[in-house]
Amino acid sequence: MMAQEVDQPYRLACLELHGGNQAGTYSAELSGLAGWVSCRPLGTSRRGGDLYYLSVCSQGVIARVVLADVAGHGEIVSSAAVRLRDALREHVDHWDQSMLIRRLNESILKGAPHSRFATAFLASFYRESGELLFTNAGHPPPLWYRAAAREWSFLLDSTPYRKEIVDLPLGMIAGTSYSQTAVQLEAGDLLLLYTDGIHEASDESSEQLGLDRLLSITRDLPVESAAAAGRGLVSAIQRFRGREPASDDETVVALERRVGAV
């Protein structure tokens, strides 16, 4: 379902959570970050299995973004959305993500086997330092544009640009090790988060795009803003598909570090 883009950026207030799984396209302002969201459920549905939330802490210095691809549809996804929202609200002021990941895993993955996340990417951004702390639980790797190098790459746990996390525990959750990785975002750096409907898009010959070709596409994207990069990626996927219809929900969350932004 195509959603008309909202003209004015949505500015998150302290302690606010914003998002869900409904169709929508809009810009957003978080602590130190400019954002852009495009959520496109499959077909004519207004709500899909892709689920995202944006939040800002009570002091306005921590911005958090989570993007998940939930297994299931309808009420299954809606109930998962409520539990995710509640967990994020409880931990909105916490920079360390390990307890939040543990809460998500125990209350959603294990406690509700019929309404579970298939994958999730969770990131916290600290405005004062420019540090981004992230955890990837089986989700497609975000795309990272480093403005100083004018270069796109995947944001991976193994990135050579990772920073040491001081005095923060790793989350050993239900037998699975979910690590927290920190990187430094500089002014103008971009992140493109997306669900598997993007890199698994197929063209008219039923050939999937794939991660390698997705990375190649980014080299032609505009990089002057999160909105420009996000719109460029969505348009590139549409061109790749041609007349082939989408086969899955497609969600993109674009972020840009804005030095001096509040």
Side-chain angles (χ1 to χ4, degrees):
M1 180 178 182
M2 296 290 289
Q4 184 175 2
E5 183 164 354
V6 177
D7 292 333
Q8 294 298 319
Y10 184 90
R11 185 167 187 174
L12 273 78
C14 294
L15 291 177
E16 181 180 5
L17 267 73
H18 186 77
N21 65 326
Q22 67 275 14
T25 305
Y26 61 94
S27 295
E29 295 179 2
L30 298 88
S31 296
L33 295 172
W36 183 84
V37 175
S38 172
C39 184
R40 298 183 175 188
L42 183 62
T44 59
S45 175
R46 292 187 64 252
R47 296 181 180 273
D50 290 351
L51 179 61
Y52 74 92
Y53 278 106
L54 316 173
S55 71
V56 175
C57 77
S58 61
Q59 291 80 32
V61 296
I62 299 173
R64 179 163 283 144
V65 179
V66 60
L67 178 59
D69 190 345
V70 181
H73 302 281
E75 289 303 316
I76 291 176
V77 178
S78 296
S79 60
V82 170
R83 288 191 296 275
L84 174 56
R85 184 189 62 209
D86 290 346
L88 288 169
R89 181 173 289 118
E90 179 183 340
H91 294 271
V92 69
D93 276 340
H94 300 168
W95 170 239
D96 177 10
Q97 298 180 159
S98 59
M99 289 301 294
L100 173 55
I101 291 293
R102 183 175 296 110
R103 162 80 185 274
L104 292 178
N105 190 67
E106 292 175 354
S107 69
I108 300 173
L109 294 180
K110 296 185 69 176
H114 299 296
S115 56
R116 57 185 176 82
F117 290 130
T119 65
F121 182 88
L122 175 67
S124 300
F125 176 75
Y126 189 55
R127 187 188 69 200
E128 301 302 319
S129 66
E131 291 176 297
L132 182 88
L133 186 68
F134 69 91
T135 299
N136 191 329
H139 200 77
L143 293 153
W144 181 16
Y145 177 74
R146 290 182 296 116
R150 298 182 181 180
E151 181 178 86
W152 285 96
S153 63
F154 288 116
L155 180 62
L156 302 168
D157 295 342
S158 58
T159 176
Y161 303 103
R162 65 185 299 165
K163 299 180 64 176
E164 182 181 1
I165 304 173
V166 180
D167 296 330
L168 290 181
L170 297 180
M172 297 295 294
I173 305 136
T176 301
S177 176
Y178 290 95
S179 63
Q180 298 185 103
T181 304
V183 295
Q184 184 74 31
L185 294 188
E186 305 295 346
D189 280 9
L190 298 167
L191 290 176
L192 292 177
L193 284 56
Y194 55 93
T195 52
D196 58 10
I198 297 296
H199 70 88
E200 292 179 357
S202 297
D203 63 14
E204 295 173 20
S205 63
S206 298
E207 182 177 358
Q208 282 194 354
L209 176 67
L211 289 175
D212 290 341
R213 205 159 6 184
L214 176 63
L215 183 58
S216 297
I217 283 176
T218 62
R219 294 170 185 141
D220 295 321
L221 294 182
V223 294
E224 63 267 22
S225 68
R231 292 189 197 106
L233 179 59
V234 170
S235 296
I237 299 303
Q238 291 175 328
R239 289 194 298 271
F240 173 78
R241 284 205 316 263
R243 291 176 294 179
E244 185 72 13
S247 58
D248 199 358
D249 303 325
E250 296 179 349
T251 299
V252 173
V253 178
L255 303 168
E256 178 196 8
R257 186 187 177 193
R258 302 285 295 275
V259 175
V262 297

